[in-house]
Amino acid sequence: MAIAREQFNSRIGFILAAAGSAVGIGNLVGFPVNAAKNGGAAFLVIYALFVVLVCLPVMLAELAAGRHTQKNPLGAYNQLSNNSSSAGFSFWSLGGWLALITPYMIAVFYAVITLWVLGYFIATVSGDLDQLAHDDYFSNFINSKSIFVYLAAVSIIVSAILYGGVKNGIERAAKIMMPMLFIMLLCLVAFVLTQDNAMLGVKFYLIPDFSKITPQVINGAMAQAFFSLSLGMGILITYGSYMKRTSSIAFSAKMVALTDTAVAFTAGLMVLPAIFSFNPDINPDELSNSSISLIFGFLPKIFIAMQTTIGYFGASVFASIFFLLVLFAALTSLVSITEVPISAVMDEKKTSRKKAVLIIGATAGLIALACSVSFGMVDSLTNFTSYGGQTKSLFDVIIDVFYDTILPLNGFLICMLVSYRWKKANFDKELELGDPDYKGSLLERYVNVSLTTFIPVILLLIFINTVLLKFFGISII
């Protein structure tokens, strides 16, 4: 007997859950620094244009494919391409498998980062902020036995949310964590802006410097927008399958994009002023592009420096709120990413959610465990392989392949599937359900043109350039 498809209980529930998948660690730290290093407000404008002109049409494609088929990415690709069986192989089923394997592997490395955030949050709450600011704390922490406890805790939290299902698990968690995330972010911004020299950071962030805009920066803005909105990960296909037929896909997609961009922008009003308050003479160009090194290496030094003005206790409270904010962002993203393979197991194997959560949780947990010990604990995993002139750990390989490389390819494939296999007429008909104003609108005309012309070309070029750059040290852009 077929199991009834789960659905989000409300539009706001879907928007918060989808926004939760999009709002991650990169939004809170990586985006502000990249903006500051690459032209400030000029970068923000380019980023916003890419969100509207490129990312929004791809979001509509993923959501429409999911809602129409009521299936996970693999099932959606097979149904829309008329591939009769999920076991059958075709060019389109390859796209479905990629859209399924990608979030599974991303969930693996994201679980490792989340356990680090949890560990830092516990340390700040425990009054150990001064220890976090030491240069060797992070390297010692990630090679300590405590990471196993934190990994287990993260697994239990995420599994409990996913076990609750779409309404009582994912949607309920999003309705709690996302508003709290927004409130904490605004409180931190309000506090930081009252500090000395904070306005220097605001000016650096918001005053445009068009001389810094290069083809590489434009490519970076495009990649940041695409990754930030969780495109190519199968999340929006899966979440689209949980949408009600009466809901407007276009409106929901706009709200998710707006929410994600607003959080990223607001985070810049926290991170950059905090950095300049700590060191007014700092050159943001010297900051690392890595969100990991910024969160776990640089920012704790800023927090401990705050004790000169607000005392050690005040600095610890600020740091605790910050790491709780990042933890909520990481958890909401991890839940959304992990739901994709869970949905696939339920659909394709006709199994219960409880069993699917157990299968995915156990297998992904083992790989996450292997990744968590690939920073020195286990030499074979630390020196896993070499390419591009560098030795890579298992953790590095998973990020390079499944996060930095595959996502643009997945975006390209969904554009091809919707536009040339499913056909534009069927795509438009799905988007018009629950939104009669979409028919004949400027957005409809733009989406139809863009998905069949320049957007696939852009995504394919980004994929090719990333492969050449990551693995061969060659850039064509």
Side-chain angles (χ1 to χ4, degrees):
M1 182 176 69
I3 300 174
R5 191 71 176 174
E6 296 179 85
Q7 288 187 333
F8 285 105
N9 192 48
S10 61
R11 177 187 290 180
I12 188 63
F14 165 80
I15 292 173
L16 289 176
S21 74
V23 174
I25 294 173
N27 292 69
L28 298 177
V29 181
F31 174 83
V33 173
N34 284 332
K37 295 174 70 170
N38 295 308
F43 179 90
L44 299 180
V45 171
I46 295 172
Y47 174 87
L49 287 174
F50 274 128
V51 168
V52 174
L53 300 179
V54 176
C55 296
L56 184 59
V58 179
M59 288 180 69
L60 295 177
E62 293 196 7
L63 290 171
R67 192 177 73 172
H68 178 77
T69 61
Q70 298 284 287
K71 293 181 178 179
N72 66 87
L74 179 58
Y77 267 84
N78 284 323
Q79 180 171 322
L80 295 182
S81 63
N82 296 318
N83 192 34
S84 59
S85 170
S86 60
F89 183 81
S90 69
F91 172 78
W92 297 114
S93 66
L94 173 62
W97 278 109
L98 283 176
L100 189 59
I101 295 171
T102 299
Y104 178 86
M105 297 306 294
I106 289 178
V108 166
F109 83 78
Y110 219 87
V112 177
I113 298 176
T114 305
L115 80 85
W116 294 343
V117 176
L118 176 60
Y120 268 56
F121 170 67
I122 297 299
T124 55
V125 171
S126 302
D128 295 332
L129 178 60
D130 55 335
Q131 298 298 317
L132 270 62
H134 290 171
D135 291 333
D136 59 350
Y137 182 88
F138 180 65
S139 59
N140 291 334
F141 169 71
I142 62 176
N143 285 294
S144 67
K145 293 181 180 180
S146 63
I147 64 170
F148 303 122
V149 176
Y150 293 127
L151 178 59
V154 168
S155 300
I156 292 172
I157 294 171
V158 172
S159 296
I161 294 173
L162 290 169
Y163 179 72
V166 175
K167 289 182 182 179
N168 297 322
I170 298 172
E171 184 173 349
R172 179 176 293 178
K175 284 182 175 180
I176 295 172
M177 287 194 284
M178 289 305 294
M180 289 184 67
L181 185 152
F182 298 147
I183 292 171
M184 286 188 292
L185 180 58
L186 291 175
C187 289
L188 292 180
V189 169
F191 171 77
V192 168
L193 292 181
T194 64
Q195 301 303 297
D196 294 338
N197 303 309
M199 288 301 112
L200 292 176
V202 175
K203 290 179 181 178
F204 203 99
Y205 183 47
L206 297 182
I207 295 177
D209 183 358
F210 293 99
S211 66
K212 289 188 176 182
I213 301 303
T214 64
Q216 288 76 20
V217 170
I218 294 175
N219 180 65
M222 169 61 209
Q224 178 77 42
F226 196 81
F227 300 156
S228 178
L229 290 168
S230 300
L231 301 178
M233 297 185 193
I235 295 173
L236 295 181
I237 296 177
T238 303
Y239 276 16
S241 72
Y242 300 145
M243 289 185 72
K244 295 180 178 179
R245 294 286 187 184
T246 55
S247 297
S248 167
I249 292 178
F251 175 82
S252 298
K254 291 175 188 176
M255 292 304 298
V256 172
L258 180 62
T259 301
D260 177 75
T261 304
V263 170
F265 173 79
T266 307
L269 296 176
M270 173 188 67
V271 174
L272 270 300
I275 292 174
F276 272 85
S277 177
F278 166 65
N279 184 359
D281 298 321
I282 194 169
N283 182 357
D285 291 335
E286 299 173 358
L287 294 174
S288 171
N289 285 320
S290 170
S291 295
I292 293 176
S293 64
L294 286 165
I295 291 175
F296 302 108
F298 186 76
L299 290 180
K301 296 178 180 179
I302 294 179
F303 299 149
I304 196 64
M306 290 180 176
Q307 66 180 326
T308 58
T309 56
I310 60 175
Y312 185 79
F313 178 78
S316 296
V317 171
F318 182 91
S320 298
I321 296 175
F322 172 81
F323 282 113
L324 182 60
L325 169 70
V326 177
L327 179 61
F328 277 9
L331 286 173
T332 54
S333 294
L334 185 55
V335 165
S336 300
I337 296 167
T338 311
E339 173 64 14
V340 180
I342 287 174
S343 175
V345 171
M346 292 170 62
D347 289 348
E348 305 305 324
K349 298 301 180 181
K350 307 302 180 185
T351 188
S352 66
R353 172 170 286 274
K354 180 179 179 180
K355 185 178 290 187
V357 170
L358 181 61
I359 292 171
I360 297 301
T363 56
L366 288 174
I367 304 175
L369 181 62
C371 286
S372 66
V373 299
S374 68
F375 302 97
M377 283 192 189
V378 179
D379 184 69
S380 60
L381 298 175
T382 302
N383 302 292
F384 189 70
T385 189
S386 297
Y387 52 82
Q390 295 179 317
T391 300
K392 299 285 187 175
S393 68
L394 175 62
F395 182 83
D396 295 329
V397 171
I398 291 177
I399 290 181
D400 286 347
V401 174
F402 293 100
Y403 190 76
D404 289 342
T405 303
I406 296 296
L407 293 185
L409 176 61
N410 289 348
F412 168 78
L413 291 174
I414 191 65
C415 290
M416 293 293 98
L417 175 70
V418 167
S419 299
Y420 296 103
R421 188 69 176 181
W422 188 24
K423 303 299 184 182
K424 290 188 293 184
N426 295 320
F427 174 49
D428 290 343
K429 185 177 180 181
E430 183 64 34
L431 290 174
E432 289 164 9
L433 282 176
D435 188 2
D437 292 336
Y438 182 79
K439 185 174 184 179
S441 66
L442 178 62
L443 178 60
E444 181 183 54
R445 294 196 294 271
Y446 173 76
V447 169
N448 281 334
V449 171
S450 62
L451 283 181
T452 56
T453 54
F454 66 87
I455 288 180
V457 173
I458 290 174
L459 295 176
L460 186 60
L461 283 176
I462 291 176
F463 168 69
I464 294 172
N465 186 69
T466 303
V467 171
L468 293 174
L469 186 61
K470 280 282 182 183
F471 301 99
F472 303 100
I474 303 171
S475 177
I476 60 175
I477 299 179

